[in-house]
Amino acid sequence: NGLGHTDEIAIFPEGADLKTGNFLWRLSSARIERASPFSAFPQHDRTLVVLTGEGVILTHTFEGDEDQVEILPLTPYEFPGDVPSRCELIAGAIQDLSVFVRKAEAEAVTETVNVPMGSAHAWMPAGRWNFAYAATGDFEVVAGTEELQLRAGETLRIDLQAALSENEAIQLTGLGPNSQLVLVGIQG
């Protein structure tokens, strides 16, 4: 809607365009600095996760009736993209992560995980497209013989053609005292 700035993390298919809405799914992050209406995405459903800040209150308008929902940090919230929605900030600016999926063609499962320092979370990606977003803190990632660092604000993408076996779990080890992940799996 031109009222903010959004960074696209990933979109499918490659070359799809946000403005035309010709994407199956999209992952993005935005900074919201003031109350404003949310952009409408009539062909998509969305999940919103507040990454930083105190949270937001979304007001949805359904056939003249309003419904308010308070969305606190790191709590995934799903809603239809075609419902008019307005955002009010609880206490100052926020950074969010949004997952968009085309209605009746794709599904997304979004969860947040707190990983204590030195502990490992065994991630079993189950979607065709999977993302681990480092919301806070850094992580060591071990997938088979591959090792890498996932820094705060970075996203790891895993595309799968078949499900992983139990011994193929991806180990995500928290390197700081407050390491939190947003994990997204998309089927479509």
Side-chain angles (χ1 to χ4, degrees):
N1 63 12
L3 295 176
H5 176 76
T6 301
D7 292 316
E8 186 170 273
I9 296 169
I11 194 167
F12 184 85
E14 298 296 326
D17 181 56
L18 174 66
K19 290 181 181 172
T20 63
N22 64 344
F23 56 93
L24 179 64
W25 57 259
R26 180 177 187 261
L27 194 72
S28 62
S29 180
R31 181 160 175 81
I32 302 173
E33 297 183 344
R34 65 180 186 269
S36 64
F38 268 24
S39 298
F41 291 91
Q43 301 170 350
H44 296 84
D45 290 325
R46 71 191 289 184
T47 302
L48 179 74
V49 180
V50 174
L51 299 171
T52 63
E54 298 299 315
V56 298
I57 296 173
L58 283 186
T59 302
H60 304 296
T61 304
F62 301 95
E63 299 175 3
D65 292 330
E66 289 188 346
D67 181 34
Q68 284 192 336
V69 179
E70 184 175 344
I71 304 170
L72 299 176
L74 296 170
T75 305
Y77 175 68
E78 298 177 27
F79 62 102
D82 57 348
V83 172
S85 301
R86 179 168 177 74
C87 169
E88 299 287 335
L89 301 170
I90 292 176
I94 65 133
Q95 185 79 25
D96 73 23
L97 181 74
S98 289
V99 181
F100 299 86
V101 293
R102 184 178 293 279
K103 293 177 181 289
E105 294 182 36
E107 293 180 14
V109 175
T110 304
E111 65 176 318
T112 58
V113 178
N114 183 36
V115 183
M117 185 167 51
S119 296
H121 175 74
W123 180 36
M124 289 294 295
R128 180 170 171 202
W129 303 278
N130 303 277
F131 301 90
Y133 180 88
T136 59
D138 299 335
F139 295 85
E140 179 182 75
V141 180
V142 178
T145 60
E146 300 288 322
E147 292 185 25
L148 60 100
Q149 297 281 316
L150 183 64
R151 304 271 182 221
E154 294 180 342
T155 306
L156 172 66
R157 177 176 171 177
I158 306 282
D159 292 357
L160 297 176
Q161 296 301 317
L164 297 177
S165 63
E166 284 186 37
N167 64 343
E168 294 178 303
I170 297 168
Q171 301 298 318
L172 300 158
T173 302
L175 299 178
N178 187 26
S179 299
Q180 297 173 308
L181 293 163
V182 179
L183 302 175
V184 178
I186 300 174
Q187 291 285 22

